[in-house]
Amino acid sequence: MSDCILEARSLGKVYEEGPVKVEAVRDVSLQVSGGQSVAIMGPSGSGKTTLLSMIGCILRPSRGDVFIEGRPVRWEGEDLSRVRLNSIGFVFQTFNLFSALTALENVEVALELRGVRGSEARRRAREMLETVGLADRLNFLPRDLSGGQKQRVSIARALVNRPPLILADEPTGNLDSKTGHAIIELLRDLVVRERRSVVVVTHDTRMMDLVHRVYRLEDGVLVS
Amino acid sequence: MPSIARKNLFYDRTRFAITVIGITFSVVLIFTTIGVYLGFMQDASFIVESIPADIWVTSKNLQNFNFAWPISERKVEQIKEVKGVAETEKMIHSWGVMKLNTGGTEQVEIIGLDPEGAFGFPWTMVAGAPTDVKGGDFVIVDRSSVKRLGRLKVGDVREINDFRIKVVGLTKGLKSITTAPYVITSYDTSTLFNPYFREPVFILVRTFPGEPVAAVAERIREHVSNVDVYTRAGLSGKTRWYWTVATGMGMGFLLTAFVGFVIGMVVVSQTIYSSTVEHIREFGTLKAIGATNWTIYKIILEQAAVNAGIGFIVGLGLVLFIQKGYAALGIAMLIPVPLMIAVSVLTLAMCLSASIVSIRKVRTLDPVMVFRA
């Protein structure tokens, strides 16, 4: 498939703790095309985060292959860093912002890693934060931002390098209902506007109406 | 570019202050220990270094400058016969006891040298003239002796080994590592104080210009029996080595400086490690979004380097202040530029090596952690 951004083939992950083996993900295959949004839903402990870590090239699968933009992922340090840097934007449940950096600087860090520096990095970071509605919070430290504002910074950081794939782990998990809804809409609007693909791992059933496809995961197996 | 390293440092000001205080303490301890040691070493070989003789001939098996024993005056003539020797001069170094105005006594080191001889008196006079010691039982004392001998001035009369002497001049900067004050007098007068020191303790040699000093020294060794022959640097080095190694003083200073280094290393290591642990999730996030390990190492190393730089500058400022206090107490603390460079490099090395534990922590950091709530 020429416009396939993400493809997982027969992914499996087994955790071994001494003699005990736990198969967290079993034989999962999925595809995400350009501009497509996908939700992975399932109860706690169903293997959602493990699956997200593997398709995010952070966790090496025990079995199977991951293809990003049609290229197979080689599970080697430098290559993995490069894939994550160039092709994937992450949005985390706990935001994971740099506590000593302002909102603007948090976004700039992602640009710096891609080699965009100085005034160009500052301009692009400012534009991205304006896009997510934080024009008046550029120089605020994370401790001075609300949960929703922190998640907007996290989204801005994920999108600022224009990666073809956004992976979001429970993006509304730490937010109240109203703020969570606003974040979902923001994420959806940005993905549509920026023509990105997005994979969201969530419990939030409101996501079902906002994505093109929903995968359900139970006991490490895709059931639909 | 937002420097995560610097931002992290200044974000937690308490930790930053503790780190800088630790490094500053370490730097001050290292500087003062080595600085005072260098000051003592300067005192130890000050006479040797200040007299411009190329070669020093003295008694066999010399331990150091201060404990030399007389040699036969006939050696002077033997030395003059050696090829390459241009001039010779006799010098006495002996010990005496000065009676003080208070009725007490104080040990002194006596230097006897002809003020109009080949080398004169090379020391800085603050009262009187070197030639004033000629023609009588006259001496020059250093003004740093005030704490041991009282405030002596030109015209004061005292006794050394029951010989009445008169102070005719004052020098400055002339101190001995033994802490006994130097008393300078003419060669002839110096022979009066001690019956065992009636002959030269040192025969100073000036070589002809262009003559290799080491070669002349070797010829003297071959030609004159039962003497030790040193170049100026050789005698200076032997004296410093004696006080450093034979007395154990150097080991004491070295240990203190090492303790300073270890204290600094432990403090920096602790604070950088606790900072790394506190920011571990952020480092994990950096890894997750595509940073290499090296990018994160640079952040940790930059933190260490900034700590080192600020701690060093604050420490050096304090040391220069302390140096003035030491000088007021009459203790020389030398902070030459090479020492500054060495301590700055040492401080940087200390802080960078203190980061190793943090770097190991980051190296094994699994970015999967960023998905855990």
Side-chain angles (χ1 to χ4, degrees), chain A residues 84 90 94 96 99 105 112, chain B residues 1 7 281-282 287-288:
Chain A
R84 294 200 294 261
F90 289 97
T94 50
N96 293 348
S99 55
E105 290 165 342
E112 293 284 345
Chain B
M1 162 79 173
K7 293 273 182 175
R281 196 174 182 86
E282 295 174 11
K287 268 192 173 181

Side-chain angles (χ1 to χ4, degrees), chain B residues 282-300:
Chain B
E282 295 174 11
F283 292 139
T285 303
L286 272 175
K287 268 192 173 181
I289 66 177
T292 60
N293 275 342
W294 179 238
T295 303
I296 302 169
Y297 298 163
K298 280 194 288 186
I299 292 171
I300 293 170

Side-chain angles (χ1 to χ4, degrees), chain A residues 20-37:
Chain A
V20 181
K21 290 185 179 180
V22 177
E23 198 163 12
V25 173
R26 255 186 299 166
D27 198 28
V28 169
S29 296
L30 57 83
Q31 289 185 336
V32 181
S33 308
Q36 190 183 25
S37 50

Side-chain angles (χ1 to χ4, degrees), chain B residues 237-290:
Chain B
K238 187 173 181 73
T239 298
R240 289 176 179 217
W241 180 256
Y242 173 85
W243 289 109
T244 301
V245 177
T247 65
M249 185 172 79
M251 185 57 74
F253 279 105
L254 189 68
L255 272 177
T256 309
F258 181 70
V259 167
F261 180 82
V262 170
I263 288 172
M265 188 135 160
V266 169
V267 170
V268 179
S269 173
Q270 283 290 317
T271 53
I272 289 183
Y273 184 73
S274 69
S275 171
T276 303
V277 169
E278 192 171 294
H279 294 281
I280 199 74
R281 196 174 182 86
E282 295 174 11
F283 292 139
T285 303
L286 272 175
K287 268 192 173 181
I289 66 177

